[in-house]
């Protein structure tokens, strides 16, 4: 059960390792194009169709027709990767239950966007976890965890790609563990891990307002925020002109500096090639950006088309 490319890597590993994938469950096709006349399948569906695997695409997971169709496959086990919340009638259906491949080291970063929030929070390590589903979100007993180091220059795409491959690996390792245990491997309640872990950090869904840059934060915090949202959905700010007009500007890459900010947060300090913005402590160099209605470009290309940029500010 899965939808995006992240889930395809795990499905591919199941197929390549000769597991008997009797069916795939994924989101319904989505209309795309100017008039919504073209229906686009999910990445998981495209791969499943290519491999001749039956596909189920329920609008609602509790739909009786879907539940019966799923039950008819008589699967021993269900594997969930980047999908949606399942009702008990679905996750409790197989003999050996349902396990999820989660892109974080649970119990940290429970929620819909664990990769983004790990980078935004400046974590040096994240990972993947397999756990059995239960009635709450990302709280089930943990089967396995594998760590992944986050380099300081990684953006969310780098971490996504690494965890996608690691997720496929831990899925196969988990299945081997389940087979060795005749279907019932040892699994650890998350409460046993929380005690010595300190504050738990959540990973809620990312919305457009979530991506607005707060220039009052330190340059390091803004740097992590930008890379935690790059390339999609993209951190944004409002470029405010001297006359008060505003345009949205997306920021895709920055560099930290040791230069102290001499003006209020959001102030722009630039020369012909370098674009800096004052954060709460230091200047942050902007490397790649995109002005609303324009293409993504380097800061130097952006500066070539701007006059009196130092009279503007970020808000």
């Amino acid at each position: 059960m899965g939808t995006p490319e992240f889930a395809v890597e795990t499905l591919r590993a199941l197929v390549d390792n000769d597991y008997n994938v009797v069916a795939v469950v994924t989101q319904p096709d989505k209309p795309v194009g100017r008039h919504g006349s073209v229906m686009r399948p999910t990445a998981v569906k495209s791969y499943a169709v290519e491999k001749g695997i039956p596909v189920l695409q329920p609008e609602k997971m509790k739909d009786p027709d879907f539940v019966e169709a799923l039950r008819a496959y008589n699967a021993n086990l269900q594997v969930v990767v980047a999908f949606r919340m399942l009702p008990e009638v679905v996750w409790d259906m197989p003999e050996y239950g349902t396990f999820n491949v989660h892109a974080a080291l649970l119990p940290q970063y429970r929620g819909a966007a664990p990769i983004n929030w790990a980078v935004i929070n400046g974590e040096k390590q994240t990972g993947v976890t397999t756990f059995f589903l239960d009635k709450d979100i990302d709280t089930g007993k943990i089967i396995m965890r594998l760590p992944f180091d986050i380099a300081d220059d990684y953006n969310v795409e780098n971490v996504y790609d690494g965890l996608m491959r690691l997720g496929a690996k831990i899925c196969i390792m988990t299945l081997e563990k389940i087979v060795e245990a005749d279907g019932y491997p040892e699994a650890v309640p998350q409460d046993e891990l929380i005690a010595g872990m300190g504050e738990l950090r959540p990973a809620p869904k990312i919305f457009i307002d979530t991506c607005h840059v707060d220039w009052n934060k330190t340059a390091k915090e803004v740097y992590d925020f930008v890379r935690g949202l790059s390339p999609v959905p993209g951190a944004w700010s409002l470029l405010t002109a001297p006359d008060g007009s505003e345009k949205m500007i997306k920021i895709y890459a920055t560099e930290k500096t040791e230069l102290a900010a001499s003006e209020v947060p959001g102030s722009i300090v630039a020369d012909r090639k370098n674009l800096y913005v004052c954060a709460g402590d230091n200047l942050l160099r902007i490397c790649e950006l995109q002005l609303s209605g324009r293409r993504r470009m380097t800061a130097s290309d952006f500066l070539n088309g701007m006059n009196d940029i130092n009279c503007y500010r970020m808000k």
Side-chain angles (χ1 to χ4, degrees):
M1 299 184 177
T3 294
E5 189 64 35
F6 191 93
V8 174
E9 192 74 12
T10 297
L11 178 57
R12 183 180 292 111
L14 292 171
V15 172
D16 291 347
N17 283 274
D18 297 323
Y19 283 95
N20 181 23
V21 182
V22 294
V24 157
V25 181
T26 190
Q27 297 276 39
D29 296 359
K30 288 189 175 182
V32 295
R34 187 172 182 180
H35 302 291
S37 57
V38 178
M39 300 301 289
R40 176 180 293 170
T42 69
V44 163
K45 178 182 178 179
S46 296
Y47 178 82
V49 170
E50 176 189 327
K51 295 298 180 180
I53 302 170
V55 178
L56 300 175
Q57 296 178 275
E59 290 282 352
K60 296 180 179 180
M61 298 302 292
K62 290 184 179 181
D63 180 270
D65 291 338
F66 161 68
V67 172
E68 288 310 307
L70 183 63
R71 196 185 307 278
Y73 284 104
N74 197 32
N76 302 106
L77 184 73
Q78 291 172 164
V79 179
V80 179
V81 187
F83 192 42
R84 56 198 288 191
M85 188 173 181
L86 304 182
E88 185 171 358
V89 68
V90 172
W91 60 257
D92 196 41
M93 186 183 296
E95 178 184 1
Y96 301 128
T98 301
F99 76 80
N100 183 274
V101 178
H102 186 73
L105 296 176
L106 290 174
Q108 292 288 6
Y109 294 105
R110 294 169 174 165
I115 303 177
N116 299 93
W117 286 108
V119 181
I120 288 170
N121 289 332
E123 301 285 5
K124 296 184 180 300
Q125 188 179 77
T126 184
V128 287
T129 302
T130 50
F131 68 95
F132 284 115
L133 266 63
D134 62 14
K135 294 179 181 180
D136 296 315
I137 298 176
D138 300 336
T139 59
K141 291 183 178 180
I142 291 174
I143 311 166
M144 296 187 70
R145 298 192 299 175
L146 291 177
F148 178 85
D149 291 336
I150 304 175
D152 187 60
D153 60 347
Y154 279 7
N155 64 16
V156 76
E157 185 174 50
N158 303 132
V159 181
Y160 181 100
D161 290 345
L163 294 185
M164 181 172 66
R165 294 188 291 271
L166 197 61
K169 178 180 178 179
I170 199 173
C171 177
I172 300 304
M173 293 173 66
T174 299
L175 285 169
E176 291 171 350
K177 195 171 182 178
I178 290 172
V179 170
E180 290 172 2
D182 294 324
Y184 301 99
E186 181 181 354
V188 180
Q190 292 192 34
D191 287 347
E192 294 184 10
L193 301 173
I194 290 174
M197 193 165 282
E199 179 185 0
L200 291 185
R201 289 184 162 181
K205 188 175 180 179
I206 302 287
F207 296 98
I208 183 66
D209 288 347
T210 314
C211 304
H212 187 195
V213 177
D214 180 358
W215 296 102
N216 291 296
K217 293 190 174 183
T218 67
K220 170 66 164 61
E221 288 173 325
V222 177
Y223 170 80
D224 290 336
F225 186 80
V226 168
R227 66 192 183 103
L229 296 168
S230 180
V232 289
W236 62 272
S237 188
L238 291 175
L239 183 66
T240 305
D243 64 4
S245 62
E246 296 176 335
K247 283 189 177 181
M248 178 183 282
I249 188 166
K250 284 196 172 184
I251 303 169
Y252 293 102
T254 64
E255 286 182 2
K256 293 172 288 184
T257 78
E258 297 298 322
L259 301 172
S262 57
E263 300 184 48
V264 298
S267 299
I268 291 175
V269 179
D271 54 34
R272 296 183 65 180
K273 291 186 178 181
N274 297 295
L275 174 63
Y276 299 93
V277 179
C278 295
D281 55 356
N282 293 339
L283 295 180
L284 190 69
R285 182 170 178 260
I286 310 299
C287 302
E288 290 185 61
L289 58 124
Q290 182 177 16
L291 194 61
S292 180
R294 305 279 294 279
R295 63 177 177 82
R296 180 171 169 174
M297 65 185 78
T298 63
S300 60
D301 286 342
F302 169 76
L303 290 170
N304 286 336
M306 295 294 294
N307 295 319
D308 302 321
I309 187 62
N310 289 300
C311 296
Y312 288 67
R313 69 183 304 269
M314 295 285 194
K315 188 170 83 173

